[in-house]
Amino acid sequence: MAQIPIFVINLARQSERLERMSKELGALNLEFERLDAVDRLSTPPAEFQQRFTKTGPIGPLGKGDMACSLSHRKFWKEVLDRGLETAFVLEDDVEISPNLPDLLACADWVPKSANIIKFERKGGPKTRVYLGAGSSIWIGAFTLHRIFSPHMGTAGYLITRKGAELALSASERLSMPVDHFLFNSAISRFAVQSKPLQLSPAVIRQIPDEVPSDIEIDRPAKNRPRMPIRLYRKYKYSALRLPYKIFGARHVDVPFE
């Protein structure tokens, strides 16, 4: 049984992040491959214009958000080009649970119907994520749940070949950041159709970094949609989450917190 391939998205000009990730993954005896991130500073404006709409559900995107989205799209293409059945991606500003190696030792536990499995816990301790009923996997006490509410972040997730095909096809022209595209079913048709799963307990979380985020640096102020659109989304979210509010939200735990 071979380890699920691991890719770490990293900008060439941020070698210190790569060094830290190398030490963290090395301590867990996990092999990985660096995936050269798309750089907002060197990407021609014409490429951004070709791949992104001028505005979208959450307003116009900064070059950092667009570059990050294209980096993940580059990962999906890599999965297909190499004929991989499953692959795992990490951003280079994460903390990793010691449980990750067991989960990536082989892909036998990955459901055949799965497209994307989120390994990350995003948000503070009071953040609640609405999840469907869990199905157990044979590794430890982990369960998989359908995600039924927006759960942002792309710090660590597994994608299958079928998921990569679907993601590439649906992202020819994007109107939102990649984490919304993958995990925000309120505004992303793909996030509804792909039925992303959440690993619980989560084993990845982003950490504050001394190196400023390229995404945050040039992110424009939010351009809020008009009131009718906001109200429509509000009631759409509420209807979607109502069964889970009645029966109780499942909280995504991070083992090392």
Side-chain angles (χ1 to χ4, degrees), residues 121 124-129 131 200-201 249-254 257:
R121 163 66 175 172
K126 293 184 179 180
T127 302
R128 301 184 73 81
V129 181
L131 304 174
S200 180
R250 298 176 182 272
H251 188 265
V252 183
D253 297 315
V254 180
E257 277 190 335

Side-chain angles (χ1 to χ4, degrees), residues 63-83:
K63 289 183 179 180
D65 272 317
M66 291 190 282
C68 176
S69 299
L70 291 181
S71 297
H72 282 270
R73 201 171 188 277
K74 186 175 180 180
F75 163 62
W76 308 332
K77 189 174 186 302
E78 196 75 17
V79 172
L80 297 184
D81 289 347
R82 298 195 188 189

Side-chain angles (χ1 to χ4, degrees), residues 4-21:
I4 294 174
I6 302 172
F7 293 84
V8 174
I9 295 175
N10 169 255
L11 282 166
R13 55 186 166 84
Q14 292 187 338
S15 58
E16 62 277 19
R17 285 190 174 210
L18 181 64
E19 183 178 355
R20 184 180 59 77
M21 288 298 296

